[in-house]
C-alpha cells in the first residue's frame, strides 16, 4: 500500500468520524446542560433545605417552650383557683364547682376545647372576681397553637431530614448518590407533611418548587463511544501507517497524535469540553492533511510532485 492509498484511508476514516462525532458531541452537550441545571437546582435546594431544617428545629423548640410555659401557667391557675375558692367558701359557705375543678386541673386535660369550656364557666361566676384567672387561661389557650401529635411528627421529620444531610449537602454528594430519586421523593413527602401542619415557613414553597423541577428533569442517555473507537482502530491499523516520505511525515504525524488524543478521550468517557477540544484539534490536522494532499498529489494514483526528490518539470 503506497502513501496515496494510506492518505485516502485517513480521509475515508475522517468522513466516517464526521458522521458519528457530531451526534456524540451533541449528547455530551445535553449531559453538560443537564448537569448545569442539576447543579443550579442543588444550590437552591441546599440553601432552602438548611432553612427548612432550621424552621423545623425552631418549631420544636417553640413547642417545648410553650409546654414549659403551660406548666407554669397551670401551677399559677391552680394556686389562684385555690385561693379564690377559699374566698368563695367564706362568702357562700361552700366551695365553687368550677374553682374546685381548676385546683385539680392536670396537664393531660389541657386542650383548646376544655380551656374554652373553663373560661366560659368562669365568665358566668358572679359572686367572685375571676378576670385574672380567665386571662391566664386565655394565655394557656394561645400556647396550644399546635395539634397534639405535631411535636411527635416534627421530631420524626427532624430525624429524617438529618438522614438526608449527606446527599443534599452538595452537588457532588448528590451526583454520587445511588438513590437520588428516592432521596428527592422522600424530601418531597416531608415537605408535603410539613405543609399540612400550617407552619409559618419561608422555605417550603421555594424548596418544593426546586425539588419538583429536579424530579422533572430527564437525564440524557450517555452516548456509546464504541463505534467511534472502532473507526479509529481501523484508521490506526499499523499496515495503514505512513512511516516514510519526504514531506508527508510533518503533516501526518499530528494527525496520528490527534487520533490518539481523540481515542483516549472516548475510552475515558471525556466530558463535552475535553471531547470537543480533541475533536476540533483532529479536524484541524485533517484540514492540513487535506490541503497538503490537494496541493501535492496531482495526478490519478496520487503520485507526489517530489516523488523523485525534486519537482516534476
Amino acid at each position: 500500500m503506497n502513501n496515496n492509498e494510506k492518505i485516502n484511508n485517513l480521509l475515508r476514516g475522517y468522513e466516517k468520524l464526521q458522521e458519528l462525532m457530531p451526534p456524540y458531541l451533541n449528547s455530551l452537550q445535553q449531559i453538560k446542560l443537564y448537569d448545569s441545571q442539576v447543579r443550579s437546582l442543588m444550590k437552591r435546594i441546599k440553601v432552602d433545605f438548611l432553612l427548612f431544617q432550621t424552621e423545623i428545629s425552631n418549631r420544636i423548640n417553640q413547642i417545648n417552650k410553650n409546654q414549659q410555659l403551660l406548666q407554669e401557667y397551670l401551677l399559677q391557675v391552680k394556686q389562684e383557683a385555690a385561693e379564690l375558692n377559699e374566698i368563695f367558701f367564706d362568702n357562700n359557705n361552700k366551695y365553687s364547682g368550677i374553682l374546685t375543678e381548676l385546683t385539680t386541673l392536670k396537664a393531660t386535660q389541657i386542650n383548646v376545647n376544655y380551656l374554652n369550656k373553663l373560661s366560659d364557666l368562669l365568665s358566668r361566676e358572679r359572686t367572685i372576681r375571676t378576670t385574672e384567672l380567665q386571662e391566664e387561661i386565655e394565655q394557656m389557650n394561645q400556647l396550644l397553637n399546635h395539634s397534639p401529635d405535631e411535636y411527635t411528627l416534627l421530631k420524626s421529620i427532624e430525624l429524617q431530614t438529618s438522614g438526608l444531610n449527606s446527599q443534599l449537602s452538595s452537588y457532588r454528594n448528590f451526583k454520587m448518590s445511588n438513590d437520588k430519586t428516592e432521596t428527592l421523593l422522600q424530601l418531597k413527602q416531608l415537605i408535603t407533611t410539613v405543609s399540612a401542619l400550617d407552619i409559618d415557613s419561608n422555605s417550603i414553597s421555594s424548596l418544593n418548587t426546586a425539588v419538583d423541577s429536579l424530579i422533572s428533569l430527564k437525564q440524557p442517555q450517555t452516548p456509546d463511544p464504541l463505534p467511534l473507537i472502532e473507526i479509529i482502530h481501523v484508521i490506526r491499523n499499523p499496515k495503514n501507517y505512513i512511516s516514510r516520505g519526504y514531506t508527508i511525515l510533518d503533516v501526518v504525524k499530528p494527525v496520528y497524535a490527534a487520533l490518539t488524543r481523540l481515542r483516549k478521550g472516548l475510552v475515558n468517557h471525556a466530558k463535552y469540553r475535553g471531547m470537543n477540544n480533541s475533536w476540533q484539534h483532529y479536524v484541524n490536522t485533517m484540514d492540513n492533511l487535506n490541503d497538503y494532499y490537494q496541493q501535492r498529489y496531482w495526478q490519478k494514483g496520487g503520485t507526489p510532485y517530489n516523488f523523485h526528490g525534486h519537482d516534476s518539470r
Side-chain angles (χ1 to χ4, degrees):
M1 181 180 288
N2 60 38
N3 281 357
N4 179 66
E5 293 171 322
K6 292 177 180 179
I7 292 174
N8 276 300
N9 172 68
L10 289 171
L11 294 173
R12 286 193 298 271
Y14 179 42
E15 289 178 358
K16 293 178 180 178
L17 289 176
Q18 282 182 309
E19 293 178 5
L20 297 183
M21 185 57 75
Y24 183 87
L25 288 174
N26 182 64
S27 295
L28 293 183
Q29 193 170 32
Q30 292 303 312
I31 293 174
K32 179 184 177 182
L33 176 61
Y34 170 81
D35 287 343
S36 176
Q37 292 173 318
V38 172
R39 188 185 298 273
S40 177
L41 288 170
M42 281 305 304
K43 185 177 181 180
R44 283 177 53 192
I45 288 174
K46 177 183 176 181
V47 173
D48 288 336
F49 182 65
L50 289 174
L51 180 57
F52 179 71
Q53 288 181 298
T54 300
E55 290 171 344
I56 296 299
S57 179
N58 288 343
R59 179 61 174 168
I60 291 173
N61 292 337
Q62 184 62 54
I63 292 176
N64 283 330
K65 183 179 179 181
N66 287 355
Q67 289 297 322
Q68 293 175 358
L69 289 174
L70 274 172
Q71 292 297 328
E72 294 174 7
Y73 275 118
L74 175 61
L75 181 60
Q76 189 173 337
V77 165
K78 291 171 70 173
Q79 291 175 344
E80 187 169 338
E83 294 173 0
L84 289 176
N85 209 14
E86 292 299 328
I87 297 174
F88 186 92
F89 182 84
D90 292 340
N91 294 337
N92 299 280
N93 201 31
K94 65 176 182 178
Y95 288 110
S96 164
I98 180 59
L99 292 175
T100 300
E101 185 174 350
L102 284 173
T103 60
T104 60
L105 185 61
K106 297 179 181 179
T108 54
Q109 294 177 282
I110 298 176
N111 60 63
V112 173
N113 291 334
Y114 185 59
L115 290 180
N116 286 338
K117 174 185 175 183
L118 294 177
S119 183
D120 181 60
L121 291 173
L122 284 173
S123 67
R124 299 178 187 180
E125 183 59 66
R126 304 300 181 189
T127 60
I128 195 169
R129 182 180 176 83
T130 62
T131 304
E132 291 184 7
L133 198 55
Q134 291 181 63
E135 290 175 353
E136 290 167 356
I137 290 177
E138 178 57 29
Q139 289 295 325
M140 293 174 67
N141 216 339
Q142 291 180 9
L143 293 172
L144 293 173
N145 59 347
H146 62 277
S147 64
D149 298 327
E150 182 177 332
Y151 180 82
T152 302
L153 185 57
L154 288 175
K155 289 296 289 184
S156 173
I157 292 172
E158 184 180 49
L159 180 62
Q160 293 179 67
T161 57
S162 66
L164 298 177
N165 278 334
S166 176
Q167 297 97 314
L168 300 178
S169 61
S170 69
Y171 164 76
R172 178 181 175 83
N173 287 351
F174 178 76
K175 187 175 182 180
M176 294 178 63
S177 173
N178 294 323
D179 53 356
K180 290 186 280 291
T181 301
E182 182 180 341
T183 296
L184 292 175
L185 292 177
Q186 184 180 355
L187 179 55
K188 177 69 176 178
Q189 182 58 52
L190 293 176
I191 294 171
T192 302
T193 302
V194 174
S195 298
L197 295 177
D198 196 27
I199 294 177
D200 185 21
S201 171
N202 296 317
S203 67
I204 288 180
S205 177
S206 177
L207 182 59
N208 189 52
T209 299
V211 171
D212 282 344
S213 297
L214 191 51
I215 291 175
S216 66
L217 278 182
K218 184 178 180 180
Q219 184 172 4
Q221 185 175 0
T222 302
D224 182 10
L226 187 58
L228 290 160
I229 294 174
E230 290 176 345
I231 293 174
I232 294 175
H233 177 71
V234 173
I235 297 173
R236 284 161 42 97
N237 190 312
K239 71 177 184 179
N240 297 326
Y241 195 84
I242 300 175
S243 58
R244 300 176 63 184
Y246 290 102
T247 57
I248 184 63
L249 294 181
D250 290 337
V251 180
V252 81
K253 282 183 178 180
V255 173
Y256 292 134
L259 277 169
T260 299
R261 175 181 172 184
L262 193 63
R263 181 183 181 279
K264 183 179 180 180
L266 291 166
V267 170
N268 294 333
H269 298 280
K271 296 182 179 180
Y272 172 74
R273 183 177 179 180
M275 200 70 247
N276 187 55
N277 287 341
S278 296
W279 171 248
Q280 293 305 321
H281 178 65
Y282 169 66
V283 168
N284 291 337
T285 63
M286 286 303 301
D287 286 344
N288 291 336
L289 176 62
N290 188 56
D291 289 343
Y292 173 88
Y293 184 72
Q294 295 298 325
Q295 293 171 10
R296 298 280 180 164
Y297 286 60
W298 59 279
Q299 67 181 27
K300 186 175 182 182
T303 303
Y305 285 136
N306 59 353
F307 182 76
H308 297 292
H310 54 78
D311 288 343
S312 298
R313 294 182 184 273

